[in-house]
Amino acid sequence: MSDQQPTAAQGAPQGAYAAAGVSIEAADRAIDLMKGWVEKARRPEMIGGLGGFAGLFDASALTRYERPLLATSTDGVGTKVAIAQLMDVHDTIGFDLVGMVVDDLVVCGAEPLFMTDYIACGRVVPERIAAIVKGIAEACVVAGCALIGGETAEHPGLLDPDDYDVAGATTGVVEASKLLGPGRVRPGDVVIAMEASGLHSNGYSLVRHVLLEQAGWTVDRQVDDFGRTLGEELLEPTRIYAKACLDLAERTDTHAMSHVTGGGLAANLERVLPEELSVRIDRSTWTPQPVFDVVRRVGGVAQPDLEATLNCGVGMVALTAPESVDAAIAVLAGHGVRAWVAGEARADADHGGRVLLEGQHPGW
């Protein structure tokens, strides 16, 4: 595994560097604290450990594929990190990071193989960095990928001492003949919606603006609708669908999947929809978690704006052949993912390539 330490000018004396705001000693302490968690996120193909300049992965494992296609995805967590910092809870944000990258990958049927992370901070606090990496490593275990490398960069003067941001990238592989996507989708394919764990990691600029700035709520405010504090609700980790979706692709006639992130359900589903088909989603088939209704009501946010920003309770969708629907829902249930039929694809000369949201959520 590659470095997890601040980028330093070659030959710079440690005392001078410390005077400039960068602590090599703190970085070394952070590495010591994170080693155990990183070790848990290994795969047999990993070579080496912490300290190298690059992470190594034995690609001979790909020889079992007839025509392996490599897939890659990169993302961050966005302003959800501000909630983690307000709460001083840093060991869950890794689930958001891993979820954002691996679940973008699996929608084409690719198995995530390994991931690298990047943490930029104003000051290395070893326990905080180790907590962030702990979350990333635990999430990699859930996703089935290795945490093969990473970097922690200390940026004094650019970031405040207690500020940080995280990003990551993952690489996976899919057999060319099993690649999922718009080319496989057919009229009559059923939209299977998979329940989100909450807001996931999108739209936090809107949520923070509505609840923290406009309404003046604090993260320690007890909210009856949530049955917990506002901060606990907003920090709920992103659900990772990787293993469930790979199993779904393997055991059912599923043609495409879409990860519902920034832009909401309709816009993301349209990304895997062929131009000659449209999809109608029936909102009455599910009730979003209370946090979405709270943002809507407290902020007076119009429903189209809400749906264009937040996942509204659906974190992933699949387009599956009608004869596989019962099996698909059972497969997902076996992975602890509640799923339901939310719509259908149909030939549509007037609205081709579009997703139309119809009806209303119960209680809205």
Side-chain angles (χ1 to χ4, degrees):
M1 180 171 176
S2 57
D3 295 355
Q4 280 279 5
Q5 59 186 354
T7 304
Q10 291 296 319
Q14 184 169 329
Y17 213 21
V22 176
S23 173
I24 300 298
E25 181 181 352
D28 290 341
R29 170 66 175 154
I31 292 171
D32 287 339
L33 291 174
M34 72 176 70
K35 279 181 179 178
W37 297 110
V38 172
E39 188 63 26
K40 293 178 184 295
R42 291 186 67 92
R43 284 177 53 126
E45 303 93 339
M46 274 183 64
I47 297 173
L50 282 169
F53 284 94
L56 298 175
F57 190 90
D58 185 356
S60 65
L62 304 185
T63 57
R64 71 178 187 269
Y65 292 84
E66 291 184 9
R67 186 188 169 202
L69 301 180
L70 293 180
T72 185
S73 174
T74 186
D75 207 341
V77 174
T79 62
K80 189 171 184 174
V81 296
I83 305 299
Q85 290 159 19
L86 282 172
M87 295 284 290
D88 196 23
V89 174
H90 310 284
D91 62 351
T92 63
I93 205 74
F95 279 81
D96 301 292
L97 178 62
V98 174
M100 288 300 103
V101 295
V102 300
D103 287 337
D104 273 0
L105 198 75
V106 298
V107 298
C108 69
E111 175 192 2
L113 299 175
F114 55 83
M115 176 172 174
T116 57
D117 67 84
Y118 179 81
I119 305 169
C121 59
R123 175 187 55 168
V124 170
V125 178
E127 292 76 14
R128 184 162 59 209
I129 298 299
I132 296 169
V133 174
K134 170 182 179 285
I136 295 171
E138 289 180 325
C140 282
V141 172
V142 172
C145 69
L147 180 57
I148 198 173
E151 182 74 12
T152 301
E154 197 167 20
H155 292 164
L158 184 62
L159 295 171
D160 288 338
D162 292 326
D163 285 348
Y164 65 82
D165 198 8
V166 295
T170 187
T171 298
V173 61
V174 59
E175 185 68 68
S177 63
K178 296 182 178 181
L179 184 68
L180 304 181
R184 290 180 176 263
V185 180
R186 300 288 181 266
D189 279 355
V190 173
V191 178
I192 297 176
M194 303 177 214
E195 187 176 47
S197 58
L199 291 165
H200 285 185
S201 188
N202 301 101
Y204 272 76
S205 293
L206 172 64
V207 173
R208 289 167 53 245
H209 176 70
V210 166
L211 299 182
L212 300 183
E213 297 175 16
Q214 287 187 334
W217 291 7
T218 59
V219 291
D220 59 356
R221 178 190 178 104
Q222 189 71 29
V223 181
D224 291 342
D225 287 313
F226 305 153
R228 54 182 173 177
T229 67
L230 174 63
E232 289 169 336
E233 178 68 29
L234 298 187
L235 210 55
E236 178 68 35
T238 298
R239 171 167 283 157
I240 296 175
Y241 300 92
K243 288 184 178 179
C245 286
L246 290 174
D247 202 16
L248 184 70
E250 182 67 26
R251 296 171 57 189
T252 71
D253 189 12
T254 290
H255 299 148
M257 290 184 278
S258 176
H259 188 198
V260 183
T261 56
L265 173 56
N268 281 285
L269 184 52
E270 286 172 356
R271 296 167 67 178
V272 296
L273 200 62
E275 293 182 359
E276 67 273 14
L277 302 183
S278 71
V279 162
R280 282 171 168 76
I281 298 290
D282 182 1
R283 296 187 187 97
S284 71
T285 59
W286 82 97
T287 301
Q289 291 94 332
V291 66
F292 299 101
D293 195 31
V294 167
V295 172
R296 180 177 71 100
R297 290 187 287 105
V298 172
V301 180
Q303 190 164 349
D305 290 336
L306 198 76
E307 292 173 334
T309 308
L310 306 178
N311 68 55
C312 291
V314 179
M316 182 79 79
V317 292
L319 287 161
T320 300
E323 59 271 18
S324 282
V325 169
D326 290 343
I329 291 176
V331 166
L332 294 169
H335 288 271
V337 178
R338 190 176 80 86
W340 64 93
V341 172
E344 180 183 328
R346 63 184 71 176
D348 191 336
D350 296 326
H351 303 98
R354 292 191 56 198
V355 173
L356 309 174
L357 299 173
E358 301 177 336
Q360 187 54 282
H361 303 299
W364 277 41

